[in-house]
C-alpha cells in the first residue's frame, strides 16, 4: 500500500483525530503571547502632530531594563520604529521626549490535571485507570507553571508644556527566559504603534 493510499486516521479513530487537532491548536495558541495596551497620564491632549523626538534613556544613559543587552535592543528598536514612521531625532529641541522603562512581576499559576491519563478513550462507566489502585499515583494532580508578567512602559512628554501626553503600558507574559527578548520587542512594537496612532490622528 502506498503512502497516499494509507489512511492515517481511520473512521474508528475520529475521536482521537479530533483531540489530536485540538491539542495542536492549544499548543499553537499558548506559544503566542498577547499584548494588552493601557493608556494613562493624559495631562494634555494631542493638539498637533509631533515631528521630532528625543529618547531620554539614550541621552542620559538611563537603563530601562535590568538586562543591558535587552535594554540596548529595546532602545535601538524604539528609535528605528519612530524613524521609520517619519519622525526625526532631535536631541536639542525635540517636539517631544520619550522615556522607556519596564516592570517585571514573577508569578505562578496552577492547573488541575485530569485523573484519566488517556482522555481519548472517552467517558465510560468503568475506567480502569481511575479505579486501579496501581495507577493512583499517575503524576501530580496539580501542575505549577512559573511565568513573568512583563510591562513595557513609554512616557511621552511635551517638553514645552512640561506635561505628559500619555503613559503607554504594554502588558504581556513571558513563559521562558529564551522567549523574553522576542516577546519584549513585540510588546514594544505594539506599544509604540499605539503612540503613533494617537500622534497621526487629529483631535485626540
Amino acid at each position: 500500500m502506498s503512502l497516499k493510499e494509507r489512511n492515517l486516521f481511520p473512521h474508528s479513530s475520529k475521536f482521537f483525530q479530533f483531540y489530536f487537532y485540538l491539542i495542536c491548536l492549544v499548543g499553537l495558541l499558548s506559544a503566542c503571547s498577547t499584548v494588552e495596551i493601557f493608556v494613562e497620564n493624559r495631562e494634555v491632549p494631542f493638539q498637533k502632530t509631533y515631528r521630532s523626538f528625543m529618547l531620554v534613556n539614550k541621552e542620559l544613559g538611563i537603563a530601562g531594563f535590568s538586562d543591558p543587552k535587552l535594554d540596548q535592543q529595546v532602545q535601538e528598536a524604539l528609535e528605528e520604529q519612530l524613524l521609520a514612521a517619519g519622525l526625526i531625532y532631535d536631541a536639542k529641541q525635540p517636539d517631544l521626549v520619550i522615556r522607556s522603562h519596564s516592570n517585571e512581576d514573577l508569578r505562578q499559576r496552577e492547573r488541575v490535571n485530569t485523573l484519566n491519563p488517556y482522555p481519548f478513550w472517552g467517558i465510560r462507566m468503568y475506567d480502569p485507570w481511575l479505579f486501579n489502585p496501581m495507577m493512583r499515583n499517575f503524576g501530580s494532580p496539580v501542575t505549577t507553571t512559573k511565568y513573568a508578567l512583563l510591562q513595557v512602559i513609554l512616557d511621552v512628554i511635551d517638553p514645552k508644556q512640561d506635561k505628559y501626553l500619555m503613559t503607554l503600558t504594554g502588558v504581556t507574559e513571558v513563559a521562558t527566559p529564551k522567549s523574553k527578548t522576542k516577546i519584549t520587542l513585540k510588546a514594544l512594537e505594539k506599544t509604540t504603534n499605539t503612540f503613533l496612532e494617537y500622534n497621526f490622528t487629529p483631535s485626540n
Side-chain angles (χ1 to χ4, degrees):
M1 181 181 297
S2 65
L3 291 177
K4 293 184 179 179
E5 295 174 349
R6 187 176 300 170
N7 187 0
L8 297 178
F9 295 104
H11 294 292
S12 60
S13 62
K14 286 185 176 180
F15 194 69
F16 173 80
Q17 181 180 1
F18 169 77
Y19 273 99
F20 176 79
Y21 289 129
L22 181 61
I23 290 174
C24 291
L25 178 61
V26 171
L28 179 63
L29 293 176
S30 62
C32 302
S33 297
T34 59
V35 181
E36 293 188 62
I37 305 297
F38 298 91
V39 181
E40 302 172 299
N41 293 343
R42 298 200 62 188
E43 295 182 340
V44 293
F46 282 79
Q47 298 177 342
K48 63 177 182 179
T49 298
Y50 292 85
R51 300 295 181 183
S52 62
F53 70 98
M54 181 265 283
L55 300 180
V56 176
N57 303 68
K58 178 180 179 178
E59 298 301 322
L60 300 183
I62 300 174
F65 291 80
S66 57
D67 183 352
K69 183 178 179 180
L70 178 59
D71 184 66
Q72 181 66 25
Q73 290 176 301
V74 167
Q75 296 306 316
E76 292 176 355
L78 175 59
E79 184 173 352
E80 289 176 3
Q81 188 174 352
L82 293 173
L83 292 174
L87 278 74
I88 301 172
Y89 194 90
D90 186 349
K92 296 182 179 180
Q93 291 183 325
D95 291 341
L96 56 84
V97 296
I98 299 176
R99 178 176 58 233
S100 62
H101 50 112
S102 64
N103 184 43
E104 191 171 340
D105 184 15
L106 299 179
R107 299 187 179 188
Q108 66 181 30
R109 62 167 60 91
E110 294 182 347
R111 180 174 64 88
V112 179
N113 300 323
T114 176
L115 290 175
N116 185 0
Y118 297 97
F120 306 112
W121 293 356
I123 300 175
R124 297 173 296 177
M125 293 296 295
Y126 172 74
D127 189 338
W129 297 103
L130 181 61
F131 297 100
N132 187 347
M134 300 294 294
M135 302 301 296
R136 294 297 290 177
N137 295 323
F138 192 94
S140 174
V142 178
T143 300
T144 301
T145 304
K146 295 183 179 181
Y147 67 98
L149 189 66
L150 176 67
Q151 297 179 349
V152 177
I153 308 169
L154 297 180
D155 294 323
V156 185
I157 303 169
D158 185 325
K160 293 182 179 180
Q161 301 184 69
D162 193 24
K163 291 184 179 296
Y164 281 88
L165 287 166
M166 59 173 48
T167 294
L168 293 163
T169 305
V171 182
T172 188
E173 293 183 6
V174 178
T176 62
K178 185 178 180 180
S179 63
K180 184 175 181 179
T181 299
K182 182 178 179 180
I183 293 175
T184 301
L185 294 178
K186 176 184 175 182
L188 172 69
E189 180 182 14
K190 189 169 183 180
T191 305
T192 307
N193 279 337
T194 302
F195 156 70
L196 293 173
E197 290 174 4
Y198 275 90
N199 189 45
F200 292 114
T201 302
S203 302
N204 54 52

